[in-house]
Amino acid sequence: MNETLYRIARRSFLGALAAILAGRIAAPAFAADPVITVYKDPNCGCCSGWVDHLRGAGFSVAVQNTDQLAQIRKQHGIPPELAACHTAIVSGYLVEGHVPAAAIQRLLTERPNAEGIAVPGMPVGSPGMEGGMPQPYTVVLFWQSRQAPYMRFLGTQRLDT
């Protein structure tokens, strides 16, 4: 590149950078919405129902069918008492079990200092477990050494506001 073109390109770049930093133009988006990577058994219908729930809420989902779920949970440090039938990862957080999309949206908005969230077991009425009389359940926020209630639901209806 000749010297004149180099100076023009450099000035254009520096001018655009200054405008972005001054807030006069919007910075370009460098990443799309986060993708939720779901590890599930290929034959699990309730896991597929949960994936459909996430997609219906506007999430991008990448499904990884596997028969190694126990190893994946162990590798990522999911406490055994929080284990459910599928494991997901989104933006560095773990999501275990039939967690409603609303809880994932809150997690990604608030970005708490935690490992992730979980719905232990398979509560009737939770996303992917529709049918029958829905039962109330708690989404648990967890760290390596502790857990705390994060949200309560009946089906996909939030109970705590």
Side-chain angles (χ1 to χ4, degrees), residues 3-78:
E3 187 66 29
T4 303
L5 288 176
Y6 172 76
R7 280 191 215 135
I8 292 170
R10 184 170 177 254
R11 268 191 225 129
S12 296
F13 172 76
L14 291 175
L17 181 60
I20 289 170
L21 293 175
R24 287 188 282 173
I25 61 175
F30 292 108
D33 290 334
V35 173
I36 300 177
T37 301
V38 178
Y39 298 91
K40 70 174 207 59
D41 183 290
N43 301 308
C44 183
C46 68
C47 295
S48 296
W50 185 67
V51 167
D52 291 343
H53 166 76
L54 295 179
R55 288 182 174 143
F59 283 106
S60 297
V61 182
V63 175
Q64 299 291 319
N65 289 312
T66 181
D67 59 356
Q68 304 297 316
L69 286 168
Q71 286 179 305
I72 289 168
R73 285 187 194 100
K74 185 175 182 178
Q75 173 187 347
H76 291 289
I78 295 174

